[in-house]
Amino acid sequence: LAKTTQPISMDSYEGQEVNITCSHNNIATNDYITWYQQFPSQGPRFIIQGYKTKVTNEVASLFIPADRKSSTLSLPRVSLSDTAVYYCPLSGGGGATNKLIFGTGTLLAVQP
Amino acid sequence: DAGVTQSPTHLIKTRGQQVTLRCSPKSGHDTVSWYQQALGQGPQFIFQYYEEEERQRGNFPDRFSGHQFPNYSSELNVNALLLGDSALYLCASSRWGGGSYNEQFFGPGTRLTVL
């Protein structure tokens, strides 16, 4: 499983859409792309996962190009409570490959 | 459903001592993974347990060992503690098997400080 690369930090304002990009040039065929949110001194919280194309749930969208070497997490209309570190770890499928390889994450700071 | 629980919340040890951390998985989950998160870094995979056996291991020395019990709960043991072992230790549970990613649910972590 390859490590991922993200911007160290991003700033935004309440109500804006935020897009965080993750680079995973060495992604393997059986790797899944996942995104987690982490607040200080808490465990990471799952946001969304995908394999290819676009995935949308009630809190975010995930865009994955055809070559899968990058992915973009889109958070619509962020609020102050979205200030957190966002990670895009890769994971294999089920069984023994189901482990997460984290990079350093992106600290998103939302201003009023 | 209480989700993933970990104990203790905080722990202070001195160099050379041994420590045991505990984790109870989310209801319905049979697989437990442990991660170490140093300050300002992303979590690093330590190992994974399923059916009471270690199934996968990250790049950690043998001082780190674990156990899984028949009720799926798990322990992480660290011997001969070093200052560099100070970190947040995270437990994550999931279901085994299947062809796609099985979401890992993380606990709140145990903050270990080694003096």
Side-chain angles (χ1 to χ4, degrees):
Chain A
L1 290 169
K3 270 200 174 182
T4 56
T5 305
Q6 305 171 234
I8 293 174
S9 63
M10 293 182 66
D11 293 319
S12 183
Y13 293 93
E14 281 192 294
Q16 287 190 332
E17 178 185 72
V18 170
N19 296 308
I20 307 175
T21 298
C22 177
S23 175
H24 27 81
N25 289 319
N26 297 321
I27 189 169
T29 303
N30 63 345
D31 286 345
Y32 288 80
I33 300 159
T34 74
W35 283 83
Y36 280 77
Q37 175 194 55
Q38 187 177 28
F39 298 109
S41 297
Q42 293 187 24
R45 185 175 71 96
F46 175 80
I47 302 173
I48 197 167
Q49 66 105 348
Y51 185 80
K52 60 181 178 181
T53 65
K54 176 184 174 182
V55 180
T56 298
N57 62 21
E58 62 276 10
V59 298
S61 294
L62 176 60
F63 299 91
I64 305 170
D67 65 6
R68 303 200 329 122
K69 293 183 183 296
S70 67
S71 58
T72 299
L73 174 73
S74 180
L75 303 172
R77 296 182 298 280
V78 295
S79 63
L80 296 177
S81 63
D82 293 317
T83 293
V85 177
Y86 291 81
Y87 295 97
C88 55
L90 302 182
S91 178
T97 62
N98 197 40
K99 69 178 182 183
L100 294 166
I101 303 300
F102 288 82
T104 52
T106 297
L107 174 58
L108 172 64
V110 180
Q111 315 278 356
Chain B
D1 181 9
V4 180
T5 60
Q6 293 186 243
S7 63
T9 306
H10 296 87
L11 204 51
I12 299 176
K13 292 286 188 178
T14 57
R15 282 178 297 175
Q17 285 190 312
Q18 178 264 343
V19 68
T20 297
L21 311 181
R22 295 176 177 82
C23 170
S24 290
K26 179 179 170 66
S27 177
H29 286 181
D30 53 15
T31 304
V32 173
S33 301
W34 287 91
Y35 295 80
Q36 178 197 65
Q37 186 173 25
L39 204 59
Q41 303 295 316
Q44 301 299 305
F45 175 76
I46 303 175
F47 43 52
Q48 175 195 67
Y49 276 85
Y50 169 67
E51 289 188 330
E52 303 178 50
E53 290 186 13
E54 183 183 293
R55 299 293 178 155
Q56 267 204 106
R57 190 179 184 90
N59 188 27
F60 281 80
D62 292 344
R63 297 187 298 107
F64 289 77
S65 63
H67 189 78
Q68 185 180 34
F69 300 93
N71 67 352
Y72 309 121
S73 66
S74 176
E75 288 182 349
L76 164 65
N77 301 292
V78 187
N79 294 322
L81 284 167
L82 304 173
L83 295 179
D85 294 331
S86 294
L88 181 67
Y89 287 85
L90 297 161
C91 169
S93 73
S94 60
R95 290 191 182 94
W96 183 266
S100 60
Y101 173 67
N102 293 331
E103 181 183 335
Q104 293 198 29
F105 289 77
F106 283 82
T110 293
R111 173 70 63 187
L112 172 65
T113 302
V114 182
L115 302 176

